[in-house]
Amino acid sequence: MTGAAPGAGMKVGAVIITMGNRPDELRALLDSVAKQDGDRVEVVVVGNGSPVTGIPEGVRTVELPENLGIPGGRNAGIEAFGPGGAEMDILLFLDDDGLLAHHDTAELCRRAFAADPELGIISFRIADPETGETARRHVPRLRAADPMRSSRVTTFLGGANAVRTKVFAEVGGLPDEFFYAHEETDLAWRALDAGWMIDYRSDMVLHHPTTAPSRHAVYHRMVARNRVWLARRNLPAPLVPVYLGVWLLLTLARRPSVPALKAWFGGFKEGWTTSAGARRPMRWRTVWRLTRLGRPPVI
């Protein structure tokens, strides 16, 4: 008689936010979730300021009266599974124009979390559905040349991940006020400071078309603003100017266009002149943990 598979009995849910502008892609994603091996993955689709229509029976829906941004929408999806997602053991967060490439992703998540009690978050590999290639920016570590290498990491990809719901119970959800950009790193740093670990897994794949978010001016503003907020909220005081100084130099070295640079500096100023929310600086031992994992919190 064989024992139960690792992770058997762990309840998995999926949170998908949509603005209602990609119905075909959303339906294909829902089909890929429904085809997952093992126990049924419960799903909630959050309409972020838009109605939710054409959804298969059995899928939960939440319609927000206004667009709350990516973290706000995902937080609403978490709460659809009870406070902090407590009805589930694991929550998947998937972009509505993505597609789970394999039928065993949910089962792999169950096994990974069951095998490693310290594991709090898993970042999936994002691959272009046409070429199969993974963009460098989609590998959440500095040494990103080999996207097929799985490893411990210090952050994760927002639209292709799995989170143990105990993480939310312990450190809270995503920062609503960020709206877009760096909300994953904010949660990752808080989780790491609480003792959780994060894995990048190349065998858990989300197909997603390659896009360039930097084409939008709002991208540059929010990236800069939220970078400042991220530092002000989470870093020990001596590291805040170092971290932001390094990112200022990196931004200039990339030689963005004049409009992009203007938007970036506008966001950078906004990050200093507006509230960043509650400040909970990480412990110095967490700084050392991040450094040992290959990404000290100065870059």
Side-chain angles (χ1 to χ4, degrees):
M1 182 174 179
T2 59
M10 296 186 80
K11 297 179 181 179
V12 180
V15 174
I16 302 165
I17 60 173
T18 182
M19 296 184 69
N21 55 348
R22 294 190 281 238
D24 294 340
E25 292 89 340
L26 174 58
R27 187 57 186 255
L29 171 60
L30 291 172
D31 288 345
S32 76
V33 174
K35 292 175 181 176
Q36 290 297 299
D37 299 336
D39 293 339
R40 170 187 169 89
V41 177
E42 298 292 331
V43 181
V44 61
V45 176
V46 179
N48 214 355
S50 69
V52 180
T53 59
I55 300 301
E57 186 177 351
V59 173
R60 309 182 194 196
T61 60
V62 175
E63 293 187 356
L64 300 175
E66 61 180 309
N67 182 358
L68 298 182
I70 292 174
R74 288 186 176 139
N75 283 337
I78 294 168
E79 295 302 307
F81 291 113
E87 293 176 16
M88 299 291 139
D89 299 296
I90 303 164
L91 286 180
L92 313 180
F93 295 87
L94 307 170
D95 277 351
D96 68 341
D97 55 345
L99 184 78
L100 289 174
H102 308 301
H103 294 178
D104 64 351
T105 302
E107 278 291 277
L108 289 173
C109 286
R110 291 186 181 100
R111 294 173 195 167
F113 285 119
D116 186 354
E118 292 187 340
L119 181 61
I121 302 172
I122 299 171
S123 189
F124 301 166
R125 180 168 65 89
I126 292 180
D128 186 275
E130 299 295 329
T131 66
E133 295 180 356
T134 297
R136 188 180 183 90
R137 67 185 179 86
H138 285 151
V139 182
R141 59 177 178 242
L142 291 179
R143 296 179 179 178
D146 182 7
M148 301 307 294
R149 179 173 66 88
S150 299
S151 69
R152 292 286 202 201
V153 289
T154 62
T155 189
F156 63 98
L157 305 175
N161 68 80
V163 181
R164 193 192 297 264
T165 53
K166 287 182 179 178
V167 173
F168 298 126
E170 189 166 346
V171 306
L174 296 156
D176 287 338
E177 57 269 41
F178 278 40
F179 197 84
Y180 167 80
H182 302 318
E183 67 272 5
E184 304 92 353
T185 301
D186 187 88
L187 176 60
W189 283 0
R190 286 182 281 126
L192 288 162
D193 196 49
W196 296 102
M197 300 299 291
I198 306 170
D199 278 357
Y200 166 72
R201 287 284 296 265
S202 64
D203 57 337
M204 303 180 188
V205 182
L206 185 83
H207 280 163
H208 188 282
T210 301
T211 57
S214 58
R215 67 188 183 276
H216 301 301
V218 69
Y219 165 87
H220 298 283
R221 181 177 70 83
M222 289 193 174
V223 161
R225 182 197 68 183
N226 292 359
R227 182 81 70 185
V228 177
W229 281 356
L230 179 69
R232 290 176 59 198
R233 287 162 60 95
N234 295 288
L235 291 181
L239 293 185
V240 173
V242 179
Y243 177 81
L244 295 175
V246 167
W247 277 103
L248 172 60
L249 293 175
L250 284 172
T251 299
L252 294 174
R254 290 168 178 169
R255 302 178 67 181
S257 66
V258 172
L261 195 59
K262 182 178 179 180
W264 193 93
F265 274 110
F268 192 80
K269 178 181 178 181
E270 185 180 349
W272 285 108
T273 57
T274 57
S275 172
R279 174 167 165 77
R280 298 185 180 92
M282 67 177 67
R283 293 166 291 183
W284 283 103
R285 70 181 184 184
T286 304
V287 173
W288 176 236
R289 171 184 274 193
L290 287 161
T291 303
R292 287 189 291 110
L293 288 170
R295 190 153 197 165
V298 294
I299 189 170

